[in-house]
Amino acid sequence: MTKLTAMKNIGAEMERKLRAVGIDTPEKLLEAGAEGAFFQLKTLFPKVCLVHLYALEGAILNLDYNRLPPDRVRALKAFSDYLKG
């Protein structure tokens, strides 16, 4: 089984948080998607921030989080803002 930490942007702390919400493999992260995984994290860890969302998307796309396409960054920011209410 491939570890989550084998993915870009996923360190030990992010892996711990993802496991806490039931995402324990790269396949489960891909299935949940960045927004779905972030929503689950935000429910259990309210202080996760927008950078976490970027990191998740980067992990899924195999990109450094600061290399995401600008249109995707805008969409992720809008999603994060929506969750804030």
Side-chain angles (χ1 to χ4, degrees), residues 4 7-8 10 14 18 23-34 36-38 55-57 59-60:
L4 287 163
M7 300 176 82
K8 280 194 184 286
I10 306 293
M14 178 70 92
L18 287 168
I23 299 173
D24 57 1
T25 65
E27 294 77 20
K28 286 185 181 178
L29 178 54
L30 293 172
E31 184 179 314
F38 184 73
L56 292 167
E57 181 71 6
I60 289 168

Side-chain angles (χ1 to χ4, degrees), residues 20-81:
V21 297
I23 299 173
D24 57 1
T25 65
E27 294 77 20
K28 286 185 181 178
L29 178 54
L30 293 172
E31 184 179 314
E35 291 96 331
F38 184 73
F39 179 78
Q40 291 177 60
L41 289 173
K42 197 80 168 152
T43 301
L44 194 57
F45 303 99
K47 293 189 180 206
V48 296
C49 66
L50 181 59
V51 174
H52 289 85
L53 181 54
Y54 294 157
L56 292 167
E57 181 71 6
I60 289 168
L61 297 177
N62 196 34
L63 293 171
D64 290 329
Y65 73 92
N66 57 355
R67 301 288 228 174
L68 295 173
D71 61 327
R72 191 63 182 130
V73 169
R74 283 189 295 278
L76 293 170
K77 170 96 170 67
F79 178 75
S80 177
D81 290 347

